[in-house]
Amino acid sequence: MLQSLPNWHPIFVHFTVALFSVAVLLYIVAHFSPPGAFGRTVRMAARVNLAVGVLFTIGTLLSGWYAYNTVPHDAASHAVMTTHRNWALIASAAFGVLAIWAVRYWLRNQREGGAFVLAAAIAATPLIVAGHYGGELVYGHGVGVQSLPDTDGHTHNGDDHDHDHDDAHEDDDHGHDDEHGDDGHDHDDPGENDDHAH
């Protein structure tokens, strides 16, 4: 296992999302393509992506379950993690059914019909939602992140000049305020002394 990763889930899940997404897109293209070599080629590519996606999803689910039970997290991230898990299970089941359905078409030497393509497009919805919550876990809650970068001294493309420029303005503002404030105190003090003198 890579030392920079708490587990293999981030690796497997990206293949799952990519392969299933490409499979759906290819099925849509094949469905609207005229009969011929192009349509058959695209449909075969869609089937291959779907099949390989199912294989990677086995690793995704196993590593995801391991991560769910081992990665340190708090109560807020646990709720998001559970939502991510539930949507991922729905997406996995949906694409598992699609894979079995596609095998039946393949064994009968038939092209997938409109109902199959519609079901594939619908199955992409829980896949997208699961991916959204997975991203929220990492970028919103820092789950699985071993360390956060120190961004104070990091600059890009001349930002260093901009930061210095801004800092100078801040210093000028503070300096102006301090001088103004001091003048105010100086003006008040003589007035107070005059009152005491009278």
Side-chain angles (χ1 to χ4, degrees):
M1 185 178 296
L2 299 177
Q3 294 182 353
S4 60
L5 294 175
N7 58 71
W8 287 92
H9 184 65
I11 296 177
F12 282 110
V13 72
H14 285 89
F15 280 101
T16 293
V17 173
L19 290 166
F20 283 159
S21 299
V22 171
V24 172
L25 291 176
L26 291 176
Y27 271 123
I28 294 174
V29 173
H31 179 71
F32 290 102
S33 298
F38 176 77
R40 290 193 298 269
T41 301
V42 174
R43 188 174 303 106
M44 180 57 65
R47 290 174 176 176
V48 171
N49 276 270
L50 180 59
V52 178
V54 169
L55 295 178
F56 271 100
T57 300
I58 296 173
T60 299
L61 292 176
L62 293 176
S63 60
W65 181 253
Y66 176 76
Y68 182 80
N69 291 284
T70 58
V71 174
H73 57 277
D74 56 12
S77 59
H78 180 78
V80 179
M81 189 182 297
T82 301
T83 303
H84 167 68
R85 179 202 64 187
N86 294 341
W87 280 104
L89 290 174
I90 295 172
S92 300
F95 279 96
V97 171
L98 285 173
I100 297 173
W101 197 355
V103 168
R104 293 186 60 187
Y105 279 110
W106 176 68
L107 292 176
R108 297 176 181 179
N109 197 24
Q110 297 176 339
R111 58 180 293 175
E112 288 79 354
F116 177 92
V117 176
L118 178 61
I122 295 174
T125 300
L127 182 69
I128 294 172
V129 175
H132 164 75
Y133 283 107
E136 182 178 342
L137 282 173
V138 176
Y139 294 105
H141 296 273
V143 174
V145 177
Q146 295 181 348
S147 64
L148 295 175
D150 182 10
T151 59
D152 291 340
H154 185 68
T155 58
H156 273 293
N157 298 328
D159 284 348
D160 194 16
H161 172 73
D162 294 337
H163 288 310
D164 293 338
H165 189 66
D166 293 339
D167 292 341
H169 278 298
E170 290 179 1
D171 293 340
D172 291 343
D173 292 340
H174 287 301
H176 180 70
D177 291 341
D178 292 340
E179 293 174 2
H180 202 56
D182 291 340
D183 291 342
H185 286 299
D186 292 339
H187 285 303
D188 291 340
D189 290 340
E192 291 178 0
N193 292 334
D194 292 340
D195 293 338
H196 286 298
H198 290 297

